[in-house]
């Protein structure tokens, strides 16, 4: 004991803040212990493994960096000079403290010595990380040959795939998992021997797990017939209970539904929804404010500013050609200026205000100063309203392209929908979200299933059956479903081949499906797990997944620049053809019914008067460039006279049209009897 005390007090290098004797729950052994309980290897063996400059009697006694001067640390990387030492440094153990411990008296991490027989060492009791064991494990993998089984995944894109199926021994294996294992083998310097599990184990595997080839591979690994398997293996409680499962990645699970959210609506509901879409950019009160208040008010203000102004679109009078036939059948013609009713101007101002909204501009001629300022108000109002309307309508239409009937699994449950899912995902839905088992489509018995909620039959191709059995509306809940719960990679794979493009994931992921590979629990398991962790941390798995991610070939259904279908534009068709139909209706109405703002003229004698307006105006109240010629005369507004016209000598650029007053029907001219109303 005196010798032990002397040795411990003579040490000068140990972990900062830690006793040189180690932790009290895992004390360092003293030299006396080895004198009576162990035999050192020969001096030659020790010198070969450790070095001649190190005293074997003090090696491993007390917390100290015992390997700092060992010859296997002579080629230590430069990282050992970094303070603090990085954990990933290959030979950082050369600078770390450790000591020998009694495995029966140590509750801290410890491992058997690679130099001395029956000795155990611990870095933990000295407060250090055990990087030596990690480094030795990786070194131990070099030049090893492992028996590996390859399982071909039936779906997704993150696993391992071979046209010959699971356990094929050829060079046609592809997939991110295959690439990851290949990179790990190159990093660790080991070899892979593709091996099939012994077929005679299959019956035992089926009794314990089931009929899956992947369960068969896990079973063979758990018994040591394979060192590990390659593929995308779902990590579950049963598999993890029989062998080590290294997690490669996790796949998010989503609620899957139809892109078109109107799937559960009737045809009339879908039509009515699409019809009102065009009005959705503004609320009902906003539309009332625009069409009942703002546009009429601005139009009436324009009439107020322009009424009676010279050259304006709102004159007080208009010239009219009057033909009068007396009792003797003689006809006389004269010009008169007829007052224009205020109601006519007011209706025109209202029409022009509404027309300006649909046309996007106010094209009426404005001559007064007040009218020009009011025109700025109209133009700015139209510009801003149309800009906001256009932007909001575009956003609504493109959002509707991706609109779904539900936005969460809770909403689907409330709406009474039923679900399609694989067995393991169905369990998540029932346990985590309270989905009634009767709402999950059962495993098809006719295809070898057990009739329980969720697809698990080996012959039904469950990963695709989930999507194939979706129906927007159905009456067979034992076969079809409204929505599905599936992994994102399965949907990605289908979209790559332009299948099920009418389906999409919604909301946040509702769960994650952990996938990895099974590893045999022997002395190499920790080494393989360490190597796989290192390879994964180096970004190899992330890179292989990014390179293999499939690109959707489905047409875009939303977002910037997306195409809108006919149904989405239903409101446009309704508005357009409504106005066109009204125009046709007015065109074929009897003339008196078309008269708006007519002059009421009462004659007391038996005479017939026919009045023909000599000014024509377009939809904005502006005079057109052509002239009106009546019975060979053209009206001259400057002289207020009729001038005889030689139509044959009219210049080609002087656009004119000639009519007979008896045929004139442009403004609803009617021959009037006594007490008749006249449309002029």
């Amino acid at each position: 004991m005196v010798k032990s005390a002397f040795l411990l007090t003579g040490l000068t290098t140990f972990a900062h803040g830690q006793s040189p004797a180690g932790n009290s729950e895992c004390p360092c052994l003293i030299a006396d212990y080895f004198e009576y309980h162990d035999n050192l290897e020969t001096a030659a063996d020790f010198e070969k493994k450790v070095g001649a400059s190190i005293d074997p009697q003090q090696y491993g006694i007390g917390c100290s960096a015992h390997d700092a001067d060992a010859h296997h640390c002579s080629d230590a990387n430069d990282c050992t000079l970094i303070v603090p030492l990085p954990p990933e440094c290959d030979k950082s153990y050369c600078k770390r403290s450790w000591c020998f411990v009694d495995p029966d008296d140590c509750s801290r991490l410890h491992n058997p010595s690679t130099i001395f027989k029956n000795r155990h060492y611990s870095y933990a009791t000295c407060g250090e990380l055990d990087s030596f064991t990690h480094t030795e494990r990786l070194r131990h993998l070099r030049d090893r040959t492992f028996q590996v089984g390859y399982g071909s995944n039936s779906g997704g894109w993150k696993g391992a795939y071979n046209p010959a199926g699971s356990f094929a021994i050829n060079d046609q294996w592809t997939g991110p998992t295959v690439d990851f294992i290949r990179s790990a083998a190159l990093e660790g310097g080991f070899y892979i021997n593709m091996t099939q599990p012994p077929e005679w184990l299959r019956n035992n595997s089926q009794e314990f797990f089931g009929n899956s080839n992947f369960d068969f591979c896990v079973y063979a690994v758990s018994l040591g017939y394979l060192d590990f398997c390659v593929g995308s293996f779902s990590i579950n409680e049963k598999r993890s209970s029989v062998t080590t499962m290294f997690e490669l990645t996790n796949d998010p699970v989503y609620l899957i539904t139809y892109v078109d959210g109107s799937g559960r609506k009737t045809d009339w509901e879908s039509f009515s929804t699409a019809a009102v879409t065009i009005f959705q950019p503004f609320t009902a009160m906003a539309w009332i404010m625009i069409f009942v208040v703002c546009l009429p008010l601005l139009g009436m203000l324009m009439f107020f500013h322009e009424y009676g102004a010279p050259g304006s679109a709102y004159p007080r009078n208009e010239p009219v050609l009057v033909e009068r036939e007396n009792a003797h059948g003689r006809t006389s013609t004269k010009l008169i200026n007829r007052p224009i009713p205020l109601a006519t101007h007011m209706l025109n101002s209202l029409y022009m205000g509404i027309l300006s909204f649909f046309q996007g501009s106010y094209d009426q001629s404005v001559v007064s100063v007040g009218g020009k300022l009011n025109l700025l108000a109209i133009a700015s109002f139209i510009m801003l309203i149309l800009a906001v309307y256009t932007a909001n309508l575009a956003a609504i239409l493109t959002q509707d392209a991706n609109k779904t009937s539900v936005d969460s699994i809770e909403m689907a449950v409330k709406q009474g929908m039923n679900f399609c899912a694989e067995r393991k995902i169905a369990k998540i839905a029932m346990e985590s979200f309270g989905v009634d088992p009767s709402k999950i489509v059962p495993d098809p018995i006719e295809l070898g299933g057990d009739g329980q909620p969720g697809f698990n039959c080996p012959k039904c191709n469950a990963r695709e059956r989930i999507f194939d059995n979706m129906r927007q509306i159905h009456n067979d809940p034992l076969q079809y479903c409204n929505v599905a719960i599936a992994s994102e990679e399965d949907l990605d794979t289908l979209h790559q081949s332009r299948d099920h493009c009418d389906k999409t994931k919604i909301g946040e992921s509702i769960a994650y499906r952990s996938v990895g590979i099974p590893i045999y629990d022997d002395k190499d398991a920790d080494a393989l797990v360490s190597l796989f962790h290192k390879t994964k941390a180096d970004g190899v798995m992330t890179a292989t997944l990014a390179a293999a991610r499939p690109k959707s070939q489905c047409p875009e259904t939303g977002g910037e620049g997306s195409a809108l279908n006919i149904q989405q534009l239903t409101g446009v068709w309704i508005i357009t053809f409504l106005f066109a139909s009204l125009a046709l209706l007015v065109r074929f109405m009897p003339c008196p019914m078309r008269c708006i703002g007519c002059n009421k003229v009462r004659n007391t004698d038996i005479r017939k008067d026919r009045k023909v307006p000599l000014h024509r105006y377009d939809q904005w109240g502006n005079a057109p460039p052509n002239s009106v010629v009546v019975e060979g005369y053209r009206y001259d507004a400057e002289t207020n006279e009729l001038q005889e016209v030689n139509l044959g000598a009219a210049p080609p650029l002087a656009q004119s049209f000639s009519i007979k007053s008896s045929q004139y029907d442009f403004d609803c001219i009617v021959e009037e009897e006594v007490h008749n109303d006249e449309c002029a």
Side-chain angles (χ1 to χ4, degrees), residues 602-619:
R602 176 169 295 179
N603 296 328
T604 57
D605 54 3
I606 307 177
R607 294 180 300 176
K608 296 180 180 180
D609 290 349
R610 183 182 297 111
K611 298 179 181 179
V612 181
L614 297 176
H615 272 171
R616 291 292 170 263
Y617 304 97
D618 62 12
Q619 71 275 18

Side-chain angles (χ1 to χ4, degrees), residues 383-497:
M383 179 194 69
L384 295 175
I385 288 295
L386 290 182
V388 173
Y389 175 84
T390 303
N392 205 10
L393 180 62
I396 291 172
L397 289 175
T398 51
Q399 287 173 1
D400 284 347
N402 273 338
K403 189 176 181 180
T404 58
S405 55
V406 294
D407 56 18
S408 66
I409 189 172
E410 292 85 0
M411 187 176 185
V413 171
K414 289 181 180 179
Q415 292 187 11
M417 294 183 174
N418 62 322
F419 302 80
C420 289
E422 288 185 89
R423 176 66 53 81
K424 51 184 172 290
I425 296 179
K427 290 181 179 179
I428 296 176
M430 291 185 291
E431 295 173 359
S432 301
F433 297 95
V435 177
D436 189 336
S438 64
K439 292 294 185 179
I440 299 178
V441 179
D443 202 22
I445 298 178
E446 64 274 12
L447 296 178
D450 56 11
Q452 296 300 312
F455 301 144
N456 196 42
C457 51
K459 299 180 181 180
C460 65
N461 195 6
R463 299 181 75 163
E464 289 190 17
R465 184 180 180 85
I466 293 172
F467 301 92
D468 293 338
N469 283 36
M470 287 180 64
R471 298 290 187 275
Q472 291 180 314
I473 300 176
H474 67 85
N475 295 315
D476 189 358
L478 296 180
Q479 183 174 359
Y480 300 114
C481 58
N482 307 115
V483 294
I485 306 175
S487 66
E488 181 183 31
E489 70 165 324
D490 288 338
L491 187 63
D492 290 341
T493 303
L494 293 171
H495 284 180
Q496 183 186 29
S497 56

Side-chain angles (χ1 to χ4, degrees), residues 591-602:
C591 181
M593 297 180 64
R594 283 186 277 155
C595 182
I596 300 177
C598 297
N599 285 338
K600 298 183 181 299
V601 180
R602 176 169 295 179

